């Protein structure tokens, strides 16, 4: 095992999470876009069949 104990030096609330927040925001935005495009395509196909 490792001789390092990183958890012993960690202080709660000191981690910088700005990059993770930007990544998550981009992920949510991409999901919303994909859901919107998929919904439009499904509605268009349903209208073509009707």
């Amino acid at each position: 095992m490792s001789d390092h104990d990183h958890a012993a030096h960690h202080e709660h609330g000191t981690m910088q999470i700005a990059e993770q927040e930007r990544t998550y925001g981009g992920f949510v935005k991409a999901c919303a876009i994909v859901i919107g495009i998929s919904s439009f395509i499904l509605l268009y196909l349903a209208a073509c069949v009707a």
Side-chain angles (χ1 to χ4, degrees), residues 8-34:
H9 298 94
H10 178 71
E11 295 180 26
H12 289 286
T14 60
M15 188 171 131
Q16 299 297 320
I17 60 169
E19 187 172 348
Q20 287 86 351
E21 288 176 339
R22 283 193 307 273
T23 302
Y24 181 72
F27 172 75
V28 170
K29 185 176 182 178
C31 287
I33 291 170
V34 168

